[in-house]
Amino acid sequence: MRMSTDDQKNSIENQLSFIKGYAAAHNMIIVKEYKDIGISGLKFDNRPAIQQLLSDVINHQADFEIVLVYDMSRWSRSQNTKESRFNLYLCEKNGVRVICCVGNGAKYDSNPDEFSAEIRELFDLHDAANFSKNLSLRVFRGQCHLITLGFRQGGSAGFGFRRVLFDGAGNRKFILKRGQWKSLQTDRVILEKGPQEEVDIVNKIYQWFVYDRKTEREIADILNSESIKTDLDRPWTRGVVHQILTNEKYIGHNVYNRKSFKLKAKRVSNPPEEWVRKNHAFPAIVPFDLFEQTQDIIYKRSKKITKKQMIELLRKLLETKGKLSGLLIDEQENMPSSSIYRAKFGGLLKAYILVGFKPERDYSYIETNKNLRDMYPQILEQVNKVFKEYGSEIKQLSNGLICVNNGLNISIILSRCITKSPSNHQWLLRFDSGLKPDITVAVRMKPDNLNILDYYIIPHLAIQDDILKINSLDQFTLDVYRFDSLDFLYKSTTLIPLFKVS
């Protein structure tokens, strides 16, 4: 049994009650219980109960022949369904069957003799994994929407600010202290100016930098000499001062999604085009013109150093630290800031490439997406041309939507190929549900992302989520919609003349 949050107070009890009923109905005796309480199902490694179960089975210390689970999502919500299936296989290999008690699972177990059972198992594991993924996506979209409304999403307030809690009706409740978080889903958090002494210090930092031409290190030394601590009650560093000098929240702008940490994956820095922002979301601490002067100084001081020198400094930092990051760059003395590297080289990634550093996250998709955007109008033009050759009437609507024969709205989307390994590729089909097309044509690209692999012709009624993932190792469930060309669509929409019969 497993439940992910303490809010599901009756989840374990409900699962156990149902399992006991199933066992009694099938003349089984329950001899042991395994419970993962308040633990996410995304990773097996973080779940002590199921780890113990697998250990008992593998080491032949299990005094049972069957494992009952409420449904497959209680076994796992792992995004790696192969891991979930492998753990089922370990049980089966050691003589222990895993049986689900509800839904389709009530009709199958891990016994490999029934092929249809294996198929249902695959579907259930896929659904369990997708639930977490889709939930994460919906939560992220909701957070982005709240940002555009001026609400704060996650993270500390920062020096000079305080997080203030409001209820769903917009009534102010109280200031959240460090380590405190909202407890009600309907509550909202906004930033307000903190104590006047902190606001004054922030302005002094900007004034020292702009008017007195002090460096970030010199400013940090002044603050430390006066025994002033950061908002995290730590000494000041060059990097912390630089962050204050470059963070747009000090002019009231709310910026979100600079970094991502979804579904227990590694934290990654996102490119600026993926940031979500709301300007003038809350009161500014620093005058806009002072902030602009600051950014201008930070940019201009980099002109004293050539690109070649910047790359050499970056290479030496990589040799010393073994890795690179924006914060690491900002902490270095006598080195341009990370924002200067972005401005000079068109992004940190491009500077990293020049010194042979490859971040854990692959950012090559940025260039690929640009190429696909350039390719899209050509594909759209070709599709329209062939429709007309088949005698169909075409009207070009907005956002890639075309109307065929004044009755059928078709959306054309491109899906780049994401290479996971030489034998494993992935495609994300991003549907624009706002257009409400009758049919979506998903153009799937080959691994080189230069040539078309095939097409998915998907009716609107078959689309349940805004994003659909296709994996080259596990895509048979959608084969009914796959075509090597669009001939079927062209022929299906051809007008057939009707003749009067007397």
Side-chain angles (χ1 to χ4, degrees), residues 267-283:
R267 190 178 300 275
V268 296
S269 296
N270 295 322
E273 58 265 28
E274 293 186 14
W275 296 358
V276 182
R277 63 169 53 248
K278 169 66 174 178
N279 293 343
H280 312 297
F282 33 80

Side-chain angles (χ1 to χ4, degrees), residues 95-330:
V96 176
R97 294 160 57 194
V98 178
I99 299 180
C100 291
C101 300
V102 300
N104 288 333
K107 303 175 184 178
Y108 76 90
D109 57 38
S110 59
N111 188 332
D113 295 335
E114 188 183 349
F115 176 73
S116 61
E118 292 189 31
I119 298 299
R120 284 196 296 271
E121 175 187 293
L122 288 174
F123 274 109
D124 276 9
L125 287 172
H126 183 267
D127 287 344
N130 270 351
F131 175 86
S132 294
K133 190 181 303 178
N134 293 333
L135 178 60
S136 175
L137 180 61
R138 288 195 294 270
V139 169
F140 174 71
R141 287 174 178 165
Q143 290 171 331
C144 291
H145 176 65
L146 291 175
I147 287 294
T148 63
L149 297 177
F151 297 116
R152 180 76 171 175
Q153 291 297 310
S156 62
F159 193 83
F161 283 107
R162 292 295 184 269
R163 295 174 302 136
V164 182
L165 193 66
F166 286 76
D167 63 22
N171 300 312
R172 180 190 178 96
K173 297 178 73 172
F174 53 84
I175 293 177
L176 290 169
K177 296 180 181 178
R178 211 171 93 199
Q180 287 185 329
W181 305 95
K182 70 174 189 176
S183 58
L184 299 177
Q185 291 289 340
T186 55
D187 283 351
R188 299 288 178 254
V189 177
I190 68 169
L191 290 187
E192 287 188 356
K193 289 183 181 180
Q196 189 60 44
E197 56 266 27
E198 287 190 20
V199 173
D200 291 341
I201 289 172
V202 170
N203 277 277
K204 281 184 179 180
I205 290 173
Y206 276 83
Q207 291 164 5
W208 285 333
F209 186 80
V210 173
Y211 303 132
D212 298 338
R213 289 295 192 265
K214 294 187 182 297
T215 65
E216 289 96 325
R217 169 56 61 193
E218 290 172 336
I219 294 173
D221 290 342
I222 292 173
L223 295 171
N224 289 330
S225 69
E226 296 179 1
S227 300
I228 298 172
K229 298 292 186 180
T230 68
D231 57 305
L232 299 178
D233 200 29
R234 298 172 183 170
W236 293 82
T237 66
R238 178 186 186 273
V240 172
V241 173
H242 183 79
Q243 291 294 316
I244 287 182
L245 290 172
T246 57
N247 198 315
E248 294 183 53
K249 68 183 176 185
Y250 290 101
I251 53 172
H253 294 182
N254 201 9
V255 184
Y256 179 65
N257 199 39
R258 293 174 188 258
K259 296 181 181 293
S260 296
F261 183 58
K262 299 188 179 83
L263 293 176
K264 308 298 182 181
K266 292 181 179 179
R267 190 178 300 275
V268 296
S269 296
N270 295 322
E273 58 265 28
E274 293 186 14
W275 296 358
V276 182
R277 63 169 53 248
K278 169 66 174 178
N279 293 343
H280 312 297
F282 33 80
I285 285 181
V286 175
F288 182 79
D289 60 340
L290 184 59
F291 184 85
E292 287 286 277
Q293 291 180 64
T294 301
Q295 310 319 304
D296 188 53
I297 292 173
I298 291 174
Y299 177 75
K300 284 182 177 179
R301 71 183 179 184
S302 68
K303 290 187 177 181
K304 298 178 182 179
I305 186 171
T306 66
K307 283 188 175 181
K308 183 177 180 181
Q309 291 171 324
M310 290 176 68
I311 289 300
E312 186 58 32
L313 289 172
L314 199 62
R315 183 177 286 109
K316 289 181 179 179
L317 179 61
L318 176 60
E319 291 173 355
T320 303
K321 301 295 185 179
K323 62 180 180 178
L324 295 173
S325 70
L327 185 58
L328 197 58
I329 293 171
D330 290 337

Side-chain angles (χ1 to χ4, degrees), residues 451-481:
N451 300 288
I452 296 174
L453 174 64
D454 53 22
Y455 305 85
Y456 279 78
I457 304 175
I458 307 177
H460 176 68
L461 293 177
I463 299 174
Q464 298 181 350
D465 297 295
D466 290 342
I467 298 180
L468 176 65
K469 181 176 75 173
I470 300 177
N471 193 296
S472 60
L473 301 180
D474 188 19
Q475 64 182 50
F476 64 91
T477 57
L478 291 171
D479 269 0
V480 65
Y481 302 118

